[in-house]
Amino acid sequence: MLHSEQTKKTLSDHRKSLQDLKKSYEESEEPEKQQLWEIINDELQDILKKYFLFFSKKQMKIFNDPIHGHIELHPLLVKITDTPQFQRLRHIKQLGGTYLVYPGASHNRFEHSLGVAYLAGCLVKILHDNQLELKITKQDFLSVQIAGLCHDLGHGPFSHVFDGLVIPKAKKIKQIKGLPDEIPEKWKHEQMSVQMFDDIVKSLKAENEDVLKEHELDDRDVIFIKELIEGAKASAAEWTYKGRDKDKSFLYEIVANKQNGIDVDKWDYFARDCHHLGIRNSFDHQRLLKFARVCKINGINHICFRDKEADNVYDMFRTRYTLHRQAYQHKICNIIEEMFAEALVLADRDLHEGKPEDMLKISEAIKTAEEYSKLTDEIFEQISSSTAENLKKSRDILDKIVRRKLPKFVGEARLTEKNMSKEELSTTWKATVQKYKLDNPTVSLNAEDLPVYVVDLDHGMKDKNPIESVYFYSKRKPNEASTIKDYQLSSFLPKRFNEELVRVYYRRTEDQTPENKEEEKKKVEEAEKCFQIWCSNNFGLP
C-alpha cells in the first residue's frame, strides 16, 4: 500500500473513533454525560498542553530589538539571560576588531543571542503549524530556543580572535617550549558554550531545584540543548544523538546546521551585522522562513525549502562571502586582530615558566567556566591601564592599535588555481625580496619586515557549491525533496566558490621621526614594486 493511502486510512480510522466518541457522549445519560465530558476534556487538554505551542502573554517578556522589532521570550529564557554567564556577552564584541574600522559595528554577542533564540522559535513554530505530523512539543520548542540563546556563551575576547588566533598561537608556543599543554586539539568556542551552559543550569538549580521541571524540561532536554549548541550532522546509518530520536533530526539543523550551513544563527548575524556595518543585505530570511518544510530524505528528516527560493538561498551564501570580503576579512581589520592576538599571547602568564603573578590568566582560563567568565573584551583596558613590567610589550602593541600605528598595507593578490601553501608563499616572497633591484639605492628591503598573510574566502563549504547540499520541494510534491538542478539556477553563478588572498604588510619602525617617516614611505613604494614582480612571477598576474 502506498504511503499516502496508509495516511488516508489512518486519518479515516481516527475520524471514525472521534465520531463514535461523540455519539457515545450524546447517547449517555445526564450524570454520566458530565463525567464523560470531564474525561474527554482532560484528555484534550493533555494533548493541547503537549503539542500546542501557546504561552500566556502574561508569562512572556518583550525585548525591543533593532533588527526583529518587539520579540517575546519565555520566562525560562529570561532567567537564563539574567545570569552572570549570559550577561558577560554584553562585553564581547560581535565582530571583534572590525568595529575599529567600521565605527557602527560595536554591537555585541548579547543582542545577537537574543535574536537567534527568537528566530529559532519562529522556525520551530512555522514547522509545527504547517506539519502537525512532526509532533513538535513545547519541550522541543523551548529546548531549541535555549540552544539558540546559549550557542555563543563560549566566545572569548573579541569573539573569533580568541579561538581562531589566540588559542592556536598559545598551543604552538607551549609545544615549542615544552610547557604542559592542556589545550584540546582544535579548541572551539562551542566547547566552552556547553561548559558555560552547564554552569548556568547548575546555578539556576541552586536557587530552585525544580526550575526545569516547572517548565516541563528534564535531563534529556539538557542533553539535547548541548547537542544543538555543538551542532550535529545527521546520518541515517547510525543515529548517535541522545537528546532526541531520529524522527526529530530536523531540529538539529535549526541553530547550528552542519548539513548545509543554513541556520538561524546566520540569519540573525547577516541582518544584524549588515545593519551595523552599513552594508546592504540582499538575503530575505523572513521569506525563506515561510517556505521551510520538513521532508524525509534517505531515512532522515531534513528542513527543505520551496524550489522557487533557490535564488534566495544562494543570496544567503553570497551574503556570507560579501561580509567576509568587505568586513570580517578587511585588510585593516585582519591586521588589527593579528596585533590584538599577539598582545594577548605576550600577556599570557601560562606561556612563561613560573607563571609570573603580574601577568594574566588567558589560555589557562579555558579550563573552567568560572575562570572563563572573567575573560571579556575588557582585557584590552586591563592591559592598557596596567603598570606591570611583564605586560609592557602587550601595552605597546595595544597603544599602536589605538594610535593607528599599524603595519602599512603593501598589496593583495588572488591566488590562481595553482595554489601554494603559506610556507611556499613566504619562501618565494623572501627570495623575490632578496633578488629585487631597488630603484632607490638609499633604502633597503628586509623580508622579515614584510610578513605574508593568507586569507581564505568561500561561500560556506570551502570549494563546493553550497546550494548542492540544500534540499528543495515543489508545490505539487511538498513531501518529496531533492537537490536543485543546474537549469533551475541562474547562469550567473560563479564557477568557483572559494578563493585565497595573499597579503603583504610592512612593519613600521618604532621611532617615528620625520626622517624615519620619509624612509618608511620610500620602503613601502619599493615593496609595492617588488610585490608586483612577485605576483607576476608566481600568480601570472600583470
Side-chain angles (χ1 to χ4, degrees), residues 138-232:
K138 280 187 177 180
Q139 290 74 24
D140 296 333
F141 179 81
L142 275 179
S143 296
V144 174
Q145 275 206 310
I146 291 170
L149 188 71
C150 298
H151 78 290
D152 273 349
L153 286 171
H155 269 296
F158 279 40
S159 290
H160 289 289
V161 171
F162 190 77
D163 58 351
L165 294 174
V166 176
I167 291 299
K169 285 176 187 283
K171 187 170 181 64
K172 190 174 181 180
I173 291 170
K174 285 188 170 190
Q175 291 171 344
I176 292 171
K177 290 186 175 182
L179 296 169
D181 181 14
E182 297 177 12
I183 300 173
E185 286 293 333
K186 296 181 179 179
W187 185 87
K188 295 294 180 186
H189 72 271
E190 289 88 353
Q191 295 167 253
M192 183 51 70
S193 293
V194 168
Q195 286 187 50
M196 297 282 272
F197 176 67
D198 274 334
D199 214 41
I200 286 176
V201 172
K202 185 179 176 182
S203 64
L204 291 178
K205 283 188 172 182
E207 293 181 11
N208 176 7
E209 182 62 34
D210 297 326
V211 63
L212 296 179
K213 194 182 296 182
E214 286 174 1
H215 300 289
E216 300 174 59
L217 298 182
D218 56 26
D219 291 341
R220 192 185 184 204
D221 294 312
V222 172
I223 292 170
F224 178 45
I225 291 165
K226 292 193 284 188
E227 289 174 341
L228 291 175
I229 290 172
E230 289 186 312

Side-chain angles (χ1 to χ4, degrees), residues 505-530:
Y505 296 82
Y506 171 68
R507 287 199 181 105
R508 302 172 68 143
T509 54
E510 296 293 328
D511 188 12
Q512 288 291 299
T513 63
E515 294 79 12
N516 284 341
K517 285 182 180 179
E518 186 59 34
E519 184 183 354
E520 182 182 85
K521 183 180 177 182
K522 293 174 183 177
K523 281 189 176 184
V524 172
E525 288 174 355
E526 292 290 347
E528 287 172 350
K529 294 173 186 176
C530 182

Side-chain angles (χ1 to χ4, degrees), residues 335-346:
I335 202 65
I336 287 174
E337 291 185 341
E338 286 282 349
M339 292 174 72
F340 185 70
E342 186 181 354
L344 289 187
V345 168
L346 287 171

Side-chain angles (χ1 to χ4, degrees), residues 227-234 239 241 249 252-253 256-259:
E227 289 174 341
L228 291 175
I229 290 172
E230 289 186 312
K233 191 165 185 178
W239 185 256
Y241 305 105
S249 58
Y252 287 84
E253 299 175 0
N257 190 347
K258 302 292 185 181
Q259 177 70 29

Side-chain angles (χ1 to χ4, degrees), residues 360-390:
L360 304 174
K361 284 184 180 182
I362 298 176
S363 62
E364 65 183 5
I366 69 173
K367 294 176 184 176
T368 66
E370 183 182 358
E371 288 295 332
Y372 196 78
S373 294
K374 303 170 187 175
L375 209 53
T376 69
D377 288 0
E378 291 172 355
I379 197 170
F380 192 112
E381 298 302 327
Q382 282 180 266
I383 295 171
S384 295
S385 60
S386 169
T387 57
E389 186 60 32
N390 279 326

Side-chain angles (χ1 to χ4, degrees), residues 191-377:
Q191 295 167 253
M192 183 51 70
S193 293
V194 168
Q195 286 187 50
M196 297 282 272
F197 176 67
D198 274 334
D199 214 41
I200 286 176
V201 172
K202 185 179 176 182
S203 64
L204 291 178
K205 283 188 172 182
E207 293 181 11
N208 176 7
E209 182 62 34
D210 297 326
V211 63
L212 296 179
K213 194 182 296 182
E214 286 174 1
H215 300 289
E216 300 174 59
L217 298 182
D218 56 26
D219 291 341
R220 192 185 184 204
D221 294 312
V222 172
I223 292 170
F224 178 45
I225 291 165
K226 292 193 284 188
E227 289 174 341
L228 291 175
I229 290 172
E230 289 186 312
K233 191 165 185 178
S235 170
E238 186 179 357
W239 185 256
T240 58
Y241 305 105
K242 299 176 181 178
R244 289 296 183 270
D245 295 332
K246 192 166 69 171
D247 62 325
K248 296 285 181 74
S249 58
F250 61 92
L251 294 175
Y252 287 84
E253 299 175 0
I254 293 173
V255 175
N257 190 347
K258 302 292 185 181
Q259 177 70 29
N260 53 39
I262 301 178
D263 51 48
V264 295
D265 177 30
K266 287 187 181 64
W267 295 359
D268 182 82
Y269 80 69
F270 286 170
R272 196 172 299 277
D273 292 356
C274 283
H275 173 79
H276 289 283
L277 288 164
I279 294 175
R280 183 176 174 272
N281 180 17
S282 61
F283 167 62
D284 186 354
H285 69 267
Q286 289 289 357
R287 180 176 173 85
L288 201 58
L289 263 174
K290 304 294 183 186
F291 291 101
R293 186 173 177 80
V294 173
C295 300
K296 192 177 286 292
I297 297 131
N298 299 324
I300 286 286
N301 284 327
H302 290 290
I303 296 176
C304 309
F305 303 95
R306 226 353 246 288
D307 49 7
K308 67 176 182 177
E309 292 305 300
D311 284 337
N312 192 21
V313 170
Y314 176 71
D315 277 344
M316 190 201 87
F317 294 117
R318 183 69 186 180
T319 298
R320 181 187 185 279
Y321 167 82
T322 301
L323 283 168
H324 275 272
R325 184 72 181 91
Q326 293 185 22
Y328 308 156
Q329 306 291 347
H330 185 281
K331 62 186 179 183
I332 304 303
C333 297
N334 273 177
I335 202 65
I336 287 174
E337 291 185 341
E338 286 282 349
M339 292 174 72
F340 185 70
E342 186 181 354
L344 289 187
V345 168
L346 287 171
D348 191 351
R349 76 181 191 185
D350 203 33
L351 304 182
H352 295 77
E353 294 287 355
K355 299 183 179 180
E357 286 298 320
D358 60 347
M359 299 184 79
L360 304 174
K361 284 184 180 182
I362 298 176
S363 62
E364 65 183 5
I366 69 173
K367 294 176 184 176
T368 66
E370 183 182 358
E371 288 295 332
Y372 196 78
S373 294
K374 303 170 187 175
L375 209 53
T376 69
D377 288 0

